[in-house]
Amino acid sequence: MTAGPANDQPFPSVIPVFPLAGVVLMTGNSLPLNIFEPRYLAMVRDAMAGARVIGMVQPKSGMDTARPGATPPIYDVGGAGRIVDCKETEDGRFLIRLEGVGRFRIEHELAVTTPYRQVQAVWQPFGLDPTEGEERPAVIDHEGIIKALHHYLDHKGLSADYDAIAGTPDKLLVNTLSMIVPFSPAEKQALLEAPDLPARAKLLVALLDIASHEDTPPTQIS
């Protein structure tokens, strides 16, 4: 066990990883998942019997891992989540919810006999993730984010409750938009790996501005 990112709470030095293109998990945010593939059903069962920690990572190829036996290279940084809710359906699926507990860096991938992949995780580089913006307020251009989001949604022909969004705390706003806006996998990875919240906020605004000028069909975000 190694010291984890939250209040010195121990997290495993070896964790299972779930490669999924276009999906990142930010610290403090939740991620619902519908698990149906046999190898990931096994992963959830094993995680529930242990520390309940799963690492969300993205394949570098931009491909998912739906093909049995596929092992595409994965990015070195992921977001770890603790299973805080798990329900098994009548048809054998797991409906789980992960709560982001911190980022990790992959030291190396392990040779394992489990049907799912496992890695040696290093937590120390991201030890301040859970408390970021609490002990010392980060300098975030909140209005700039709202303005960029407004332009983006207008461009896509979508709308939002901007009054409610305006009242969202900076950290939750930046991290939630980084997760749900349909940026490319590489762009999402850049948001995940941003060194701190202000840097992520600036990158988010830049990506929203770029997307606001792209000639693409409307895309729903939820």
Side-chain angles (χ1 to χ4, degrees), residues 24-100:
V24 293
L25 177 57
M26 299 294 183
T27 306
N29 283 64
S30 293
L31 178 65
L33 292 170
N34 177 15
I35 308 296
F36 55 88
E37 191 176 346
R39 56 179 159 173
Y40 296 124
L41 292 173
M43 177 186 69
V44 171
R45 291 190 187 98
D46 290 349
M48 289 295 292
R52 296 191 170 210
V53 173
I54 292 174
M56 296 301 302
V57 294
Q58 289 199 104
K60 286 185 176 179
S61 63
M63 298 171 58
D64 63 24
T65 55
R67 181 169 56 87
T71 54
I74 52 180
Y75 283 101
D76 294 334
V77 175
R82 184 183 295 281
I83 300 174
V84 293
D85 190 29
C86 180
K87 294 182 175 65
E88 187 169 4
T89 65
E90 293 183 357
D91 59 357
R93 293 175 292 118
F94 281 128
L95 302 178
I96 68 172
R97 181 168 62 88
L98 297 178
E99 181 178 329

Side-chain angles (χ1 to χ4, degrees), residues 188-204:
K188 283 186 174 287
Q189 189 68 27
L191 287 164
L192 176 68
E193 295 189 23
D196 52 34
L197 193 63
R200 182 174 298 135
K202 290 179 181 178
L203 178 57
L204 174 65

Side-chain angles (χ1 to χ4, degrees), residues 124-205:
Q124 287 86 347
F126 310 107
L128 296 178
D129 279 3
T131 59
E132 186 171 33
E134 296 175 4
E135 296 181 357
R136 52 180 182 80
V139 180
I140 304 295
D141 182 4
H142 195 97
E143 291 185 3
I145 296 172
I146 302 298
K147 182 178 179 181
L149 178 64
H150 204 315
H151 288 165
Y152 170 81
L153 293 178
D154 283 350
H155 179 69
K156 298 295 184 181
L158 302 172
S159 61
D161 184 348
Y162 294 105
D163 290 336
I165 295 172
T168 305
D170 287 342
K171 183 177 180 179
L172 182 60
L173 176 64
V174 172
N175 286 348
T176 299
L177 290 177
S178 296
M179 288 179 60
I180 69 172
V181 176
F183 297 125
S184 72
E187 291 168 336
K188 283 186 174 287
Q189 189 68 27
L191 287 164
L192 176 68
E193 295 189 23
D196 52 34
L197 193 63
R200 182 174 298 135
K202 290 179 181 178
L203 178 57
L204 174 65
V205 170

